[in-house]
Amino acid sequence: KQWYQRRVRGHGMGDSCCNPLSMGSVKKLLEKRIPGVYVVSLKIGDTIADDTANGFFMDVQEQLEMVCAKLGNDTALQNGYHAMGFSQGGQFLRGIAQKCPQPRMKRLISVGGQHQGVYGFPHCPGPWWICREVDKLLNMGAYTDFVQSRLVQAQYWHDPLDEEKYRKKSRFIGEINQEGTIRPEYKTNLLKLANLTLIKFTKDSMVTPRESEWFGFYKPGQDKELMTLQENPALWDEDRLGLRQLSEEGRLEFLAVEGDHLQVPEKVWLDEIIPRLKD
């Protein structure tokens, strides 16, 4: 089946499509281990510098529209593809699965993606001038219209101390998590996945809280006590995204990896990730 040999990857904050030490090495690994594979590393912008900067300063919804157009115009992907997103690329590709059903995404592997957003920004992996601007904008207020329209990380900022403002103002993570307007097609489209694999890093020092990588988060009104996906009334009891149905049908997998953010041991690549991209 032709689409089995098609792979699309989305990179994380501070990275780029073609960094030889990160996305470039992953591309080489996939090409070595999956003969005949066609790998697309998504680049947002005309240059690698644009791609890195846009990971901080380009509206996420605009990025998704751009990616959807790229996928639609790639004739090699028209029979479908598997996708793998790293860090914020995990939730961005989930957004593609929900908003861009053609061409069809068959499998999605989220490597350290923050599917309930973040409440903290402990490390900035980008250039110093970008990190300075990120700090400046977050200090202005993540939910102000000015910052929401300009800072990618603000668009998946999730303040458990002010859930009402988060639901009203979040331009991305709140929107794709059906926190406000319910769009039935988001659930319908996500349920088209044959499999969704969520990878959490057990010692992640980048993502706060790391449970967001498995759709967990802080219980509303405080930032100490956590709740799992299965304890979330909207996402589990109401099943607004279809995650409970995916789980009940054996199509939702939770994988814990020992280590810090995006530190994937070779054994995990060979035993856990690559086999999920082969079938």
Side-chain angles (χ1 to χ4, degrees):
K1 296 181 181 179
Q2 188 180 20
W3 57 257
Y4 282 151
Q5 298 302 315
R6 306 292 182 251
R7 310 289 180 268
V8 174
R9 300 173 304 132
H11 64 78
M13 172 181 63
D15 204 353
S16 72
C17 64
C18 314
N19 185 336
L21 299 178
S22 55
M23 293 296 97
S25 64
V26 172
K27 183 175 186 291
K28 288 182 180 180
L29 177 63
L30 294 178
E31 290 172 340
K32 178 180 179 181
R33 295 290 177 171
I34 308 175
V37 71
Y38 172 70
V39 180
V40 177
S41 295
L42 294 170
K43 181 171 70 173
I44 309 299
D46 296 327
T47 67
I48 292 177
D50 288 343
D51 189 30
T52 300
N54 287 337
F56 290 94
F57 301 124
M58 183 178 184
D59 184 273
V60 178
Q61 303 290 3
E62 292 183 24
Q63 293 190 46
L64 298 187
E65 291 176 6
M66 180 183 295
V67 169
C68 189
K70 284 177 178 286
L71 298 177
N73 290 329
D74 191 329
T75 57
L77 300 177
Q78 296 314 299
N79 290 329
Y81 61 95
H82 295 335
M84 179 165 52
F86 296 84
S87 195
Q88 67 182 20
Q91 61 261 34
F92 294 173
L93 281 174
R94 175 166 65 88
I96 289 294
Q98 293 177 208
K99 292 170 171 281
C100 184
Q102 294 297 329
R104 183 187 177 193
M105 183 187 297
K106 182 66 174 180
R107 290 176 177 263
L108 172 59
I109 299 177
S110 169
V111 185
Q114 305 96 49
H115 294 278
Q116 276 278 34
V118 298
Y119 187 54
F121 197 56
H123 307 297
C124 178
W128 69 268
W129 65 271
I130 286 182
C131 294
R132 182 184 64 183
E133 191 66 17
V134 169
D135 285 340
K136 176 183 174 182
L137 289 171
L138 285 176
N139 286 333
M140 290 176 61
Y143 294 130
T144 63
D145 291 340
F146 180 86
V147 175
Q148 278 286 309
S149 66
R150 287 166 174 80
L151 182 62
V152 166
Q153 288 68 39
Q155 294 181 27
Y156 58 85
W157 186 264
H158 186 168
D159 187 346
L161 306 180
D162 198 343
E163 290 281 346
E164 182 177 359
K165 183 175 287 186
Y166 156 70
R167 288 192 292 269
K168 289 181 178 179
K169 295 292 187 177
S170 176
R171 290 169 63 98
F172 172 64
I173 202 69
E175 193 265 341
I176 66 164
N177 282 355
Q178 309 265 49
E179 297 283 8
T181 302
I182 304 297
R183 295 176 173 83
E185 66 271 21
Y186 284 6
K187 178 176 179 177
T188 298
N189 290 338
L190 197 64
L191 284 171
K192 293 177 181 178
L193 289 174
N195 181 268
L196 171 60
T197 300
L198 303 173
I199 296 177
K200 179 180 75 172
F201 295 92
T202 61
K203 298 179 181 178
D204 202 315
S205 63
M206 174 71 76
V207 177
T208 305
R210 64 178 67 101
E211 286 74 15
S212 181
E213 296 168 4
W214 281 0
F215 277 95
F217 205 67
Y218 298 113
K219 291 184 177 180
Q222 48 81 57
D223 61 356
K224 298 293 188 293
E225 190 175 358
L226 294 158
M227 66 177 176
T228 65
L229 165 63
Q230 293 78 8
E231 295 170 321
N232 186 309
L235 293 183
W236 195 256
D237 297 338
E238 298 178 31
D239 201 21
R240 293 183 184 180
L241 294 177
L243 296 170
R244 188 182 68 194
Q245 182 175 337
L246 285 173
S247 177
E248 291 172 348
E249 295 174 357
R251 295 190 283 146
L252 177 62
E253 298 180 296
F254 301 91
L255 179 61
V257 172
E258 187 79 13
D260 205 344
H261 193 59
L262 301 186
Q263 300 303 303
V264 183
E266 182 179 11
K267 181 175 175 57
V268 173
W269 277 110
L270 299 181
D271 295 349
E272 302 289 351
I273 297 177
I274 289 177
R276 288 175 166 84
L277 294 172
K278 283 184 174 180
D279 60 4

